[in-house]
Amino acid sequence: MKKNISIAIDGPAAAGKSTVSKEVARRLNFTYIDTGAMYRAVTYYAISHEANPRDEEEVKKLIPNIYIELNPNGTVICSGEDVTKVIRTPLVSSSVSYIAAMVSVRLFLVEQQRKMAKSKSVVMDGRDIGTYVLPNADVKIYQIASVKTRAERRFLENQQKNIPCTYEEIEQDVINRDRIDSSRSFAPLKKADDAIELDTSNLTIEESVQAVLDIIKEKVKE
């Protein structure tokens, strides 16, 4: 493979992108960049500082004070606070799509994400990586799964992390996020023209990881 490779994995909420991307990056010895965690961190910061997560002017004022670190051990640090667990709570999940639709927030985070991808080989997942953040990515994958499958996966994940929620809350959140992410005016969720679609509804994590690795091998010759 050439020196620096960029892998873009897009798709709707709870499609398993983070789980698959993280493992793919580990096996390839690439850097994994969880863009969703970055938007969640901004959302948590806004809520914890009593800003309305639907008011861009209020959130925009906070941006100069937000510093996000994604550590190799999986922890997410936002302005000095470990927010790894709290950014996965229903309170943040129900508001993150509104924050992610804000142009000021997206420009702020996209600049950081592009810098990360310039100096190293990366696997980056999100909603608009292949269409906007890294339009020239070496490999673009659009990972999907049914609403039912995605809700079940996120519900199980929250249970394992002892995050209180109901299945009904998660399912409704998935539906709402699909609507908001797909309809936002700036860099909406959509499949890049040159992306390969991968439906993981009936695949295990290992099968999904292997499918992505096979796509990468085919697209990026040794």
Side-chain angles (χ1 to χ4, degrees):
M1 293 185 182
K2 66 181 186 180
K3 187 176 180 181
N4 291 326
I5 303 294
S6 55
I7 312 298
I9 301 182
D10 290 308
K17 301 184 302 297
S18 296
T19 301
V20 171
S21 297
K22 190 181 302 181
E23 180 59 18
V24 167
R26 186 189 71 79
R27 296 191 189 185
L28 294 176
N29 196 29
F30 285 11
T31 297
Y32 167 58
I33 301 175
D34 184 353
T35 63
M38 297 174 76
Y39 284 101
R40 284 174 173 273
V42 173
T43 303
Y44 170 72
Y45 190 90
I47 293 173
S48 64
H49 285 74
E50 300 183 346
N52 181 347
R54 300 193 187 194
D55 188 324
E56 183 164 3
E57 287 307 309
E58 287 189 26
V59 175
K60 186 176 181 179
K61 293 176 183 177
L62 299 175
I63 289 178
N65 300 316
I66 299 176
Y67 304 93
I68 300 172
E69 300 172 50
L70 301 179
N71 296 319
N73 63 1
T75 57
V76 181
I77 308 299
C78 182
S79 300
E81 180 183 356
D82 185 339
V83 298
T84 309
K85 185 173 181 180
V86 72
I87 62 173
R88 302 297 174 182
T89 60
L91 178 63
V92 172
S93 294
S94 63
S95 299
V96 66
S97 285
Y98 298 106
I99 293 287
M102 297 176 181
V103 174
S104 58
V105 174
R106 298 203 73 81
L107 291 176
F108 165 61
L109 293 182
V110 166
E111 181 181 4
Q112 295 185 40
Q113 292 156 8
R114 286 175 175 166
K115 285 181 180 178
M116 293 176 184
K118 275 186 177 181
S119 60
K120 60 190 74 176
S121 290
V122 301
V123 177
M124 189 181 296
D125 71 323
R127 304 288 192 280
D128 62 347
I129 309 304
T131 56
Y132 181 71
V133 182
L134 300 177
N136 296 315
D138 297 283
V139 182
K140 300 179 184 179
I141 296 172
Y142 192 71
Q143 185 173 321
I144 63 171
S146 67
V147 170
K148 180 175 183 294
T149 297
R150 289 186 282 142
E152 288 175 346
R153 288 173 178 171
R154 180 56 55 82
F155 179 62
L156 178 60
E157 178 184 337
N158 284 0
Q159 282 190 315
Q160 293 171 339
K161 295 180 178 179
N162 295 316
I163 297 175
C165 65
T166 65
Y167 172 81
E168 288 72 25
E169 287 175 332
I170 297 298
E171 183 178 49
Q172 190 57 52
D173 177 58
V174 167
I175 293 172
N176 289 340
R177 291 187 65 185
D178 283 353
R179 175 180 54 79
I180 296 169
D181 292 343
S182 300
S183 61
R184 68 187 183 216
S185 59
F186 184 76
L189 163 69
K190 67 177 182 179
K191 176 185 174 184
D193 292 338
D194 53 347
I196 297 174
E197 186 170 301
L198 175 64
D199 190 337
T200 66
S201 297
N202 299 309
L203 299 180
T204 63
I205 293 175
E206 177 56 33
E207 288 171 338
S208 300
V209 169
Q210 190 56 56
V212 170
L213 289 171
D214 288 344
I215 292 171
I216 294 172
K217 184 177 180 180
E218 178 64 27
K219 296 287 288 185
V220 182
K221 302 301 182 182
E222 296 280 349

